[in-house]
Amino acid sequence: MDIKITVQAQDFDPGAEIKWLERDTSEDGALVTFIGKVRDHNQGEQVAHLYLEHYAGMAERSLQQIAEQAKQRWQIGKIRIIHRVGELHVDDNIVFVGVTSAHRQDAFYASQMIMDYLKTEAPFWKKEQTAAGSRWVTANQNDQNEAQKW
C-alpha cells in the first residue's frame, strides 16, 4: 500500500507517520511533510477553538482521488494524508501530508498540490468559535487561486 488516508478525531504522531513513509522506500531520496495546525486568529478575529465536520466516506474517497492524481502527475513513492475532525483547540494538529519521491521536486509539488486540492475539493467544513460567536469559515479565494495553478 503506497497511499494511506485517514480521517480521525484523535491526534496523530508526526514521527510515527514519517517512519511509515520511510519504510520500504530505499529508492526514494526525498520525503516532504506538511502539518497544518489551529491558529489563534483568522480573518481579523481571535479564535478560541474550531470544529471540523466532514462527509464520512466521501471525504476519504476525495482524499484518495487527490492522492491518486498526484501519483499520476509526478513520480511519487508513498503518500500519507491524515485529516482530523471534531473539536480542535489552538496549536492542535489538523492535517498531515507526507510524500516520498526519488527527487525532491516531485515530492514538493505533490505535497503542495495535495494541500491545495484538499482545501478546495475535499468535503470538510470548519466552524470557528470567536469572541463574537461562532461562524462557518467560507472558501478562501487565495486557496481557489492556488488550486487552479495545478
Side-chain angles (χ1 to χ4, degrees):
M1 172 180 14
D2 58 352
I3 298 175
K4 189 174 177 186
I5 307 292
T6 309
V7 176
Q8 63 191 43
Q10 69 273 21
D11 198 7
F12 53 84
D13 175 2
E17 301 309 327
I18 290 170
K19 286 186 186 304
W20 181 84
L21 286 161
E22 292 175 326
R23 196 171 309 127
D24 301 322
T25 56
S26 59
E27 68 280 4
D28 289 342
L31 189 157
V32 171
T33 61
F34 172 83
I35 298 172
K37 301 180 81 59
V38 178
R39 291 183 303 213
D40 67 355
H41 67 283
N42 189 34
Q43 299 174 349
E45 295 274 347
Q46 288 296 115
V47 174
H49 65 271
L50 58 86
Y51 189 82
L52 279 158
E53 291 187 11
H54 73 299
Y55 188 127
M58 184 167 286
E60 292 85 349
R61 280 192 297 281
S62 177
L63 296 175
Q64 181 73 30
Q65 290 171 347
I66 292 167
E68 289 171 1
Q69 286 180 50
K71 284 190 76 74
Q72 289 172 3
R73 294 183 75 161
W74 296 285
Q75 301 226 340
I76 302 301
K78 293 170 93 173
I79 298 174
R80 177 68 169 122
I81 303 173
I82 303 170
H83 202 297
R84 294 188 61 203
V85 293
E87 188 171 311
L88 300 172
H89 298 273
V90 173
D91 292 329
D92 282 352
N93 295 321
I94 301 173
V95 64
F96 177 93
V97 173
V99 177
T100 69
S101 180
H103 304 285
R104 70 179 184 275
Q105 201 69 29
D106 285 353
F108 277 119
Y109 286 154
S111 63
Q112 186 175 356
M113 187 216 81
I114 289 167
M115 276 307 304
D116 289 342
Y117 279 20
L118 185 152
K119 296 278 287 183
T120 58
E121 306 295 325
F124 292 95
W125 300 276
K126 187 188 312 184
K127 188 176 191 179
E128 294 177 331
Q129 183 63 45
T130 70
S134 62
R135 64 180 181 191
W136 290 101
V137 177
T138 57
N140 180 323
Q141 186 59 48
N142 187 53
D143 291 335
Q144 295 291 334
N145 294 342
E146 290 298 314
Q148 288 176 3
K149 291 179 183 178
W150 303 109

